[in-house]
Amino acid sequence: MSTRNVGFLLLAVALVAPWVAYPVFLMTALCFALFACAFNLLIGYAGLMSFGHAMFFGLAGYVCGHAIKVWGWPPELAMLGGALAAGALGVVTGALAIRRQGIYFAMITLAFSQMVYFFCLQAPFTGGEDGLQGIPRSPMLGGLLPVHNDMVLYYVVLAIFLFGFGAIYRIIHSPFGQVLKAIRENEQRAVSLGYNADRYKLVAFILSATLAGLAGSLKAVVMQFATLTDVTAAMSGEVVLMALVGGIGTIFGPVVGAVIIITMQNYLAATGEWVLVIQGVIFVAIVLAFRKGIVGEIADRWRAYSAGSRK
Amino acid sequence: MADPLLKVSGLNAWYGESHILHGVDFEVGKGELVTLLGRNGAGKTTTLKAIMGIVGKRTGQIRFEGQELAGSTSDIIARAGIAYCPEERGIFSSLNVEENLMLPPVVKPGGVTVEEIYTLFPNLLERRRSQGTKLSGGEQQMLAIGRILRTGASMLLLDEPTEGLAPVIVQRIGEVIRQLKTRGFTVLLVEQNFRFAATIADRHYIVEDGRVVDMVVAADVERSIDKLHDYLGV
């Protein structure tokens, strides 16, 4: 089964899903799936482990929400604004962070995300501890899309998710993506072939930040609020978990990981703090048993199986 | 030599605290095929790496086509038209053969086309969709040489292209290097295999303890054979 067939299958599931499951839950899952895909672009293909991706996700949510609620922007424009704000934050933080590698890179991104967290806690427009509430779902495209209806909004969210997912797919399979893979594998060799590795890493960082911002903006529109939860270090950790569970460096892995984590949080919410314990257990089990994540393992088995049956 | 393509003078290089090159001087004319010979640890590979700017620290002069490169980073040096094929080959295992071939950026016009590379190395054409890791040592070496030809670089630095390969493949690589020379490429070759080097090179530089200590032109190899054996300890 090729990547394309898996894609069509998942798309078919996504198209009928809102008739079966609760649309707001599905939309939340799609927002996090896009967030995890954006994160995966950075770690899976550029080899950069960011521990501060919540800053892009969360800040974009605030910017988007503020633009809709206070400035009265239409949601599509506000989401673009949120994504671009995250991209701009990515330019500044990325330019400094990519000078270091490995754990130091992770620490610098964590430090920046903590700065953004405290900024969001104190800044007047975020509502501090209360968050930014009551973001109206104004109609999109000049009234063409009545997104106050959950079903309509679901398909809008799905379209935006597919746009982001498609963009990431294109990036990974472009010559730019191949240079990224080469840098991840052997940076010195890529540089001595004539590539400025830092510039490529920075562009990947900015793209990842912008798409994470798009996901955060989308979430603000869906949930009609933006809160500090989305800027915390815990959120940065959660996206790492989603990518790991699904499979880092695989196309569908982050989507699967995000859906699993969000489903767990949703259906196990009644157990309270136990959700975190269960998440922890799953995390440990995945790291120990499926080093490549769920999708990574399945893909490996499938390849081995089809290679065996061809003989 | 009136105007060498590459002129290296007083080149010093360090790996961390260890001082490896102690003032290397040599030059390579346009279209020449020159080797660096010497014992293990003499500093041959380090000389190539120092030219490419991938050692810890270096001083001295590296003039290429009249441009001073000693202060530049490796990506700038590669874009000036020097292509490096390292001993470990550096094939990217997550990319297939064709992607590896297409990866290096074109820095100047006039490079070898992909079709011509496949003509030089027919094995690569058969395996164009194979992952980099699934190639044999010989195929990896062909790919490592092939992919730097596309960029339009005029100077090739080849580090032990025959190491660990079957005689028939060594022969094939020798033929290809000779063809490249007739196409106008300038080649600086590091070799342990003196018998291989002697068949294709115009001149040989002897490297010892991080310095160039002697130079032998191809016509004098027969006459200097005892001296060479002394230097190389074979």
Side-chain angles (χ1 to χ4, degrees):
Chain A
M1 199 152 53
S2 68
T3 307
R4 173 176 293 186
N5 292 347
V6 175
F8 281 129
L9 192 72
L10 290 180
L11 180 61
V13 171
L15 283 173
V16 297
W19 270 281
V20 184
Y22 178 46
V24 173
F25 159 71
L26 293 172
M27 287 189 272
T28 316
L30 282 176
C31 293
F32 278 101
L34 181 57
F35 183 29
C37 287
F39 173 78
N40 184 46
L41 173 65
L42 195 59
I43 187 168
Y45 297 93
L48 294 171
M49 169 71 190
S50 162
F51 242 124
H53 250 50
M55 64 177 151
F56 307 121
F57 186 69
L59 186 79
Y62 279 122
V63 170
C64 174
H66 187 76
I68 296 174
K69 189 179 171 186
V70 182
W71 298 337
W73 288 18
E76 62 273 24
L77 200 61
M79 283 191 271
L80 189 67
L84 291 180
L89 180 64
V91 173
V92 179
T93 54
L96 289 160
I98 53 143
R99 290 157 193 256
R100 291 288 172 268
Q101 284 157 345
I103 188 76
Y104 299 100
F105 175 84
M107 288 298 121
I108 293 170
T109 52
L110 176 62
F112 275 120
S113 79
Q114 288 304 97
M115 286 182 211
V116 171
Y117 171 79
F118 284 107
F119 169 78
C120 290
L121 184 62
Q122 298 293 337
F125 73 94
T126 61
E129 299 272 8
D130 297 335
L132 186 63
Q133 296 187 8
I135 301 168
R137 279 196 198 164
S138 348
M140 287 169 88
L141 296 179
L144 221 58
L145 294 172
V147 289
H148 54 83
N149 179 328
D150 278 349
M151 287 301 253
V152 175
L153 184 60
Y154 173 80
Y155 287 104
V156 171
V157 170
L158 181 61
I160 293 173
F161 166 80
L162 289 174
F163 163 77
F165 185 80
I168 291 168
Y169 186 87
R170 282 306 308 145
I171 291 167
I172 292 167
H173 291 87
S174 68
F176 171 81
Q178 293 181 348
V179 176
L180 280 186
K181 285 182 221 170
I183 291 171
R184 176 192 64 184
E185 217 175 285
N186 187 342
E187 178 165 344
Q188 194 189 61
R189 186 70 197 118
V191 172
S192 67
L193 286 173
Y195 287 109
N196 182 334
D198 282 354
R199 196 174 302 160
Y200 278 81
K201 286 188 203 167
L202 180 59
V203 172
F205 193 89
I206 296 168
L207 288 171
S208 173
T210 309
L211 288 163
L214 181 62
S217 306
L218 204 54
K219 187 180 173 234
V221 171
V222 170
M223 308 301 285
Q224 299 183 273
F225 59 74
T227 67
L228 281 174
T229 319
D230 291 347
V231 221
T232 53
M235 181 57 73
S236 294
E238 204 152 282
V239 73
V240 177
L241 181 64
M242 289 172 185
L244 258 173
V245 166
I248 283 172
T250 61
I251 305 277
F252 297 116
V255 179
V256 172
V259 169
I260 290 175
I261 300 290
I262 295 300
T263 309
M264 265 173 35
Q265 287 177 353
N266 200 49
Y267 288 97
L268 300 178
T271 61
E273 296 294 305
W274 280 100
V275 177
L276 295 174
V277 177
I278 297 168
Q279 262 183 26
V281 170
I282 288 183
F283 176 72
V284 172
I286 295 272
V287 168
L288 288 178
F290 311 105
R291 289 291 301 276
K292 291 174 178 157
I294 292 170
V295 171
E297 288 295 329
I298 293 175
D300 266 15
R301 302 254 164 99
W302 180 259
R303 261 194 295 267
Y305 169 75
S306 51
S309 61
R310 223 179 287 139
K311 272 178 198 161
Chain B
M1 224 175 305
D3 193 15
L5 183 68
L6 175 74
K7 185 174 166 58
V8 172
S9 32
L11 185 63
N12 280 262
W14 288 261
Y15 287 127
E17 295 283 293
S18 5
H19 191 174
I20 310 290
L21 300 183
H22 302 264
V24 170
D25 303 283
F26 68 92
E27 46 192 55
V28 184
K30 196 164 171 46
E32 259 195 315
L33 202 166
V34 172
T35 65
L36 299 178
L37 299 174
R39 291 194 176 99
N40 273 337
K44 307 182 295 292
T45 294
T46 308
T47 304
L48 296 192
K49 287 191 172 171
I51 293 171
M52 280 318 288
I54 47 183
V55 288
K57 181 187 159 199
R58 65 181 165 172
T59 61
Q61 276 105 48
I62 301 164
R63 287 194 82 77
F64 177 72
E65 292 184 322
Q67 189 187 352
E68 180 55 53
L69 293 176
S72 307
T73 50
S74 354
D75 55 314
I76 306 282
I77 294 170
R79 286 182 185 271
I82 303 183
Y84 171 53
C85 174
E87 194 177 354
E88 69 280 1
R89 297 161 191 155
I91 302 300
F92 297 112
S93 55
S94 52
L95 305 180
N96 68 24
V97 167
E98 190 144 296
E99 288 168 344
N100 263 289
L101 274 181
M102 299 308 288
L103 185 83
V106 170
V107 298
K108 289 193 177 156
V112 180
T113 63
V114 177
E115 288 72 33
E116 286 174 297
I117 295 172
Y118 285 142
T119 318
L120 284 175
F121 301 113
N123 302 39
L124 296 183
L125 180 62
E126 282 167 33
R127 310 220 49 184
R128 60 202 290 185
R129 301 269 170 254
S130 304
Q131 287 302 113
T133 37
K134 304 220 167 117
L135 302 179
S136 72
E139 287 165 340
Q140 284 190 21
Q141 189 63 59
M142 292 174 189
L143 179 54
I145 297 176
R147 73 172 170 188
I148 58 173
L149 303 178
R150 228 191 85 254
T151 63
S154 52
M155 168 120 218
L156 310 179
L157 312 183
L158 307 181
D159 195 353
E160 304 218 18
T162 65
E163 196 196 18
L165 300 180
V168 55
I169 296 173
V170 171
Q171 216 176 7
R172 179 80 202 119
I173 286 174
E175 279 163 29
V176 168
I177 294 176
R178 233 175 266 126
Q179 280 184 38
L180 294 177
K181 183 173 148 59
T182 57
R183 287 190 64 132
F185 280 101
T186 307
V187 181
L188 177 60
L189 179 71
V190 161
E191 262 299 345
Q192 291 271 347
N193 185 345
F194 172 65
R195 279 146 48 105
F196 171 77
T199 59
I200 56 175
D202 298 313
R203 292 188 294 130
H204 306 278
Y205 282 104
I206 316 295
V207 183
E208 230 174 56
D209 298 330
R211 284 185 191 84
V212 168
V213 293
D214 207 344
M215 194 268 285
V216 178
V217 298
D220 292 342
V221 165
E222 289 292 328
R223 225 179 312 145
S224 323
I225 199 79
D226 291 335
K227 185 169 76 172
L228 280 167
H229 278 174
D230 247 18
Y231 280 133
L232 304 176
V234 285

